[in-house]
Amino acid sequence: MRSRLLLVVLVLVGLLAAGLGIPLATFYARSAQEAVFTDRLTDTISFASAAQRPLLESGRGGSARSAFEAEIARYDEVYGVAVLVYDRAGALVAASRPGDRLPQVSAGPGDRLAVALAGRRSQPYPLILPWEADDLVLGEPVLVDGEVVGAVVTVSPTAALRAAETRTWTLVAAATLAALLTGTLVALPLTAWVLRPVRRLDGAMHEVGSAVLAGGGAAPPTRRSGPPELRRLAESFDAMTQAVREALSSQRAFVADASHQLRNPLTALRLRLSNLDGRTAPDASDDHLAAMEESERLSRVLDGLLALARAERAAEHAGGPDGVPVTGLDDLVADRIDNWRPLAEHEGVELCRGGTTGLRARIDPAGLEGVLDAVLDNALKYTPAGGRVRVSTLLTHERVAVSVVDGGPGMSAEDRERATDRFWRAPGQTNVEGSGLGLAIAARTATAAGGELVLGDGPGRGLRVTLWLLPG
């Protein structure tokens, strides 16, 4: 965002500098050209007035023509401007320099000589650009008693004019670059000051989202600084954060209280249904069995909600990784594998252990047991007979991991992102036994320990669930 805002500021500064500099440079170049044009036109008119007698004496010689030729030769020598005199037929009568150094002046229709012989004065040139090397040609008719008897043409080089114009454009370009540099130096601290509260808000919003997903508390209020509009936005965000904190706390309290209060009547209902076993009418036995199964399912859901509430409360009140106990992984992982092995053998699934031994990690033993139970439960549900579930432990430079890879169909990337949501079930798996809370509880437990639960692809079609923890 900062780079985009800086780019916008620089574009605006560049447009402002170009919008002011280009018209100014164009006006200066046009003014300089008009000054040169006016000066050359004045000289051309003067030479046209002086050329009347030399034209009338053309072909007869005379002192007037000699004096005029000497005058235009001195003018050419001083100013470098060629002066050419033509008679009514367009033939060259006098020139300020020898024939081999004369510039080429066409007498065709539409050029300056033809216009002058037609009795009209030369019009101003359009703006001569620095890369155009054409000379400035002006023609003036020579009139005697109102009749055109010839024309005077001056040919002025434009190198000096184009050089001055180039310097002007260079100065404008340098001023534009200086404006951009100044704008950059000013915009850097300005954009930092403007965007600092925006970055704080962005970070705080990310923390709020992470807290909601992890079951922890929302971020504390932000520090207010920057422009007044952003300070008001920070105040609104602080109010929203406080509302989220209170809503999360109320939600957890409600879930925990409701689950706890429902356990006693549910237990009594299950006992009553159990007492009816063998005492129902034959045609009601199927309904009795369905009621027993639903009561068992409701009991599992309530147990999951209580476990989730405890995990979220632990995440909210976690005092950081230093306050989490250190647990040895070998015995606990082996114990959970032995506990689930009978079910794996019953389902025809191989349950094995691998990886590095002797590792210790920061997590509560009961929390690690809950995570492994939830993950192994899912792995055995979705691994077909003849498949394999592998539990591995490993150590990286900074973290310890416990991974479970199943032999099931796996998950898409979109499903993996939602798999730790409460009550989420994979599409097409709604008939699979479970409450949809196992991975959600495991993810909250990992967060409470300062770790994370990551779902990825296994070395086949299966799913890899990795619990990353801080080393002990």
Side-chain angles (χ1 to χ4, degrees), residues 338-423:
D338 292 340
N339 186 73
W340 287 92
R341 194 180 302 279
L343 178 60
E345 293 175 352
H346 179 269
E347 300 291 339
V349 176
E350 179 186 0
L351 182 59
C352 58
R353 159 81 189 275
T356 307
T357 59
L359 300 180
R360 297 167 63 83
R362 291 190 175 275
I363 188 173
D364 183 80
L368 181 56
E369 288 180 358
V371 172
L372 288 176
D373 286 342
V375 177
L376 287 172
D377 182 27
N378 277 352
L380 293 176
K381 284 179 185 176
Y382 295 106
T383 301
R388 183 175 67 173
V389 175
R390 180 178 179 84
V391 182
S392 303
T393 53
L394 58 98
L395 174 66
T396 65
H397 294 293
E398 298 180 353
R399 294 192 293 180
V400 173
V402 181
S403 70
V404 177
V405 180
D406 62 38
M411 284 186 182
S412 65
E414 181 180 351
D415 289 343
R416 290 198 299 268
E417 292 180 358
R418 300 187 55 196
T420 55
D421 293 345
R422 302 175 181 89
F423 301 107

Side-chain angles (χ1 to χ4, degrees), residues 250-304:
S250 299
Q251 179 191 23
R252 295 191 198 96
F254 172 77
V255 171
D257 293 343
S259 302
H260 186 271
Q261 293 298 325
L262 288 174
R263 286 179 64 86
N264 291 334
L266 179 60
T267 302
L269 177 61
R270 293 173 60 192
L271 288 174
R272 290 178 183 273
L273 290 173
S274 297
N275 291 334
L276 291 176
D277 190 17
R279 299 181 182 183
T280 59
D283 58 350
S285 59
D286 291 341
D287 293 335
H288 176 260
L289 179 61
M292 287 292 296
E293 291 177 351
E294 289 300 319
S295 65
E296 290 290 341
R297 179 176 177 275
L298 183 56
S299 178
R300 289 194 300 270
V301 171
L302 288 178
D303 290 339

